[in-house]
């Protein structure tokens, strides 16, 4: 289980995933220890758990008990038990009882954002100074321009920026504690459960993490700041920076979990992992965002896994 939380719904979905696994294996001491360690990692983990867990437990009471005179056939008695089915049923109860958990963050995002996109929607925005922002699906920004500084906060998702040069008025993008400062260039910033990634298509940028550690990036550089503060540098072809603008996702050694998170911006419903066997594997390739459901199915099959659609609003990925 990754300990990389999102800010709202992604983190709460991670709590649901933990609860599904714990309900499916209540006697697994190792799993329980892993969960306790994840819970102790941050106040955000504990806060998300405090919100989701009561709704989860409430939903367990929604399923009607079996009638006392229910007859179980021999065939039924011999059929192997599948704990994930009970977990899935509980998850559906969570979705019904906890609808506010889904819509409240969305409402808060709408109130904070100046520009945002929905599922499978991309949008190009021209700011007051002529700078251009391309928003990926499921993304949002808040804009704050003052006389000496141009500020944009990436609230969710990812965006590509083409900044109008102005040395006297820096352009600053902030995302989850990471700041990117430029005077005029083209670059992308992406937020995910694992952290923030910055990639430069042209020009140069200065990136600072939450601890104030600064890094200079130029064309073809990519830098990821993980939720734990770890910094990883790499290279990317300039034409692959923000490749999602062409409805294709180019990934290099990206965990399956993150690929699925990005595909989730292009299809309805939550996607959760039953275990980490597939979620933590690294993949490289090009994914067609025009057909997200087919791409998701192909991705899971290539990892020798299975994709189970519990409802049109909940899918579970598990190892075979």
């Amino acid at each position: 289980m990754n300990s990389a939380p999102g800010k709202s719904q992604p983190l709460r979905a991670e709590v649901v995933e933990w609860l599904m696994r714990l309900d499916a294996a209540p006697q697994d001491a190792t799993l329980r220890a892993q969960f306790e360690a994840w819970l102790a990692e941050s106040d955000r983990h504990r806060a998300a758990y405090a919100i989701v867990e009561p709704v989860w437990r409430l939903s367990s009471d929604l399923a009607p008990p079996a009638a006392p005179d229910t007859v179980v056939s021999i065939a039924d008695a011999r059929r192997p038990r599948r704990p994930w089915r009970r977990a899935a049923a509980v998850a559906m109860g969570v979705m019904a009882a906890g609808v506010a958990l889904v819509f409240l963050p969305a409402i808060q995002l709408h109130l904070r954002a100046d520009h945002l996109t929905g599922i499978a929607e991309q949008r190009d925005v021209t700011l007051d100074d002529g700078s251009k922002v391309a928003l990926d699906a499921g993304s949002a920004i808040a804009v704050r321009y003052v006389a000496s500084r141009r500020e944009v906060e990436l609230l969710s998702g990812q965006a590509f920026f083409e900044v109008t040069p102005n040395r006297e008025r820096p352009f600053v993008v902030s995302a989850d504690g990471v700041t990117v400062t430029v005077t005029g260039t083209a670059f992308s910033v992406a937020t995910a459960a694992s952290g923030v990634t910055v990639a430069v298509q042209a020009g140069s940028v200065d990136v600072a993490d939450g601890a104030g550690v600064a890094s200079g990036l130029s064309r073809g550089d990519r830098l990821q700041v993980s939720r734990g503060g770890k910094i990883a540098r790499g290279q990317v072809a300039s034409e692959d920076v923000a490749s999602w603008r062409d409805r294709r996702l180019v990934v290099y050694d990206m965990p399956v979990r993150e690929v699925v998170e990005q595909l989730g911006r292009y299809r309805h419903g939550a996607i959760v992992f039953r275990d980490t066997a597939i979620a933590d594997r690294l993949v490289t390739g090009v994914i067609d965002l025009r057909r997200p459901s087919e791409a998701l199915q192909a991705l899971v099959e290539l990892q020798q896994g299975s994709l189970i659609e519990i409802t049109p609003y909940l899918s579970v990925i598990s190892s075979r």
Side-chain angles (χ1 to χ4, degrees):
M1 169 70 65
N2 284 353
S3 60
K7 263 200 164 182
S8 55
Q9 187 59 21
L11 180 54
R12 290 170 182 173
E14 193 170 354
V15 175
V16 170
E17 181 183 342
W18 271 118
L19 291 170
M20 287 179 66
R21 296 178 65 201
L22 290 167
D23 271 12
Q27 305 304 319
D28 190 332
T30 299
L31 179 62
R32 170 59 63 174
Q34 291 174 345
F35 167 69
E36 295 293 346
W38 177 86
L39 201 62
E41 283 182 4
S42 74
D43 291 338
R44 292 179 61 220
H45 288 193
R46 291 187 288 273
Y49 176 75
I51 292 172
V52 174
E53 195 274 344
V55 179
W56 176 272
R57 296 306 164 202
L58 174 63
S59 69
S60 297
D61 299 329
L62 297 179
D69 58 349
T70 297
V71 177
V72 180
S73 68
I74 294 178
D76 287 337
R78 292 178 180 175
R79 185 176 296 124
R81 299 294 182 185
R82 298 186 179 181
W84 63 262
R85 285 187 173 176
R86 177 182 177 275
V90 175
M92 286 188 286
V94 169
M95 293 173 67
V99 65
L101 298 182
V102 176
F103 288 105
L104 182 57
I107 293 172
Q108 293 173 334
L109 188 65
H110 275 72
L111 292 175
R112 295 179 61 194
D114 292 302
H115 306 280
L116 73 167
T117 54
I119 294 174
E121 176 192 9
Q122 294 182 356
R123 180 179 302 170
D124 294 327
V125 178
T126 300
L127 303 180
D128 291 345
D129 66 329
S131 296
K132 297 179 180 179
V133 184
L135 291 176
D136 189 17
S139 302
I141 59 172
V143 181
R144 294 183 293 272
Y145 272 25
V146 294
S148 61
R149 185 181 175 97
R150 299 169 288 174
E151 296 183 5
V152 175
E153 182 180 3
L154 180 61
L155 302 172
S156 67
Q158 50 191 354
F160 178 76
F161 300 87
E162 295 177 279
V163 179
T164 299
N166 188 336
R167 292 189 177 278
E168 303 302 320
R169 199 183 182 201
F171 190 98
V172 180
V173 177
S174 61
D176 291 341
V178 175
T179 59
V180 184
T181 304
V182 304
T183 54
T185 187
F187 63 100
S188 69
V189 181
T191 62
S194 60
V196 177
T197 301
V198 180
V200 182
Q201 185 183 76
S204 60
V205 306
D206 292 321
V207 181
D209 64 12
V213 178
S215 301
L217 304 182
S218 56
R219 179 178 178 177
D221 287 339
R222 179 178 57 188
L223 183 142
Q224 183 178 48
V225 182
S226 72
R227 298 289 179 182
K230 182 179 178 181
I231 296 177
R233 297 185 67 125
Q235 296 292 309
V236 59
S238 59
E239 63 269 20
D240 290 338
V241 174
S243 59
W244 45 263
R245 292 177 296 157
D246 298 323
R247 297 282 174 166
R248 62 188 179 93
L249 182 62
V250 180
V251 299
Y252 301 93
D253 290 334
M254 179 179 287
V256 171
R257 184 188 301 277
E258 292 186 25
V259 178
V260 169
E261 182 180 348
Q262 295 206 39
L263 282 171
R265 298 191 182 110
Y266 286 83
R267 65 190 300 277
H268 291 278
I271 310 168
V272 298
F273 287 88
R274 172 142 170 76
D275 51 57
T276 60
I278 293 177
D280 296 334
R281 292 178 188 168
L282 301 181
V283 295
T284 297
V286 180
I287 296 171
D288 189 351
L289 294 176
R290 296 171 300 178
R291 299 177 176 83
S293 295
E294 292 89 335
L296 177 63
Q297 183 69 54
L299 173 67
V300 173
E301 289 180 354
L302 285 173
Q303 301 303 318
Q304 304 301 308
S306 61
L307 176 66
I308 303 168
E309 186 178 274
I310 306 302
T311 77
Y313 306 102
L314 176 64
S315 298
V316 178
I317 297 174
S318 61
S319 302
R320 289 178 180 171

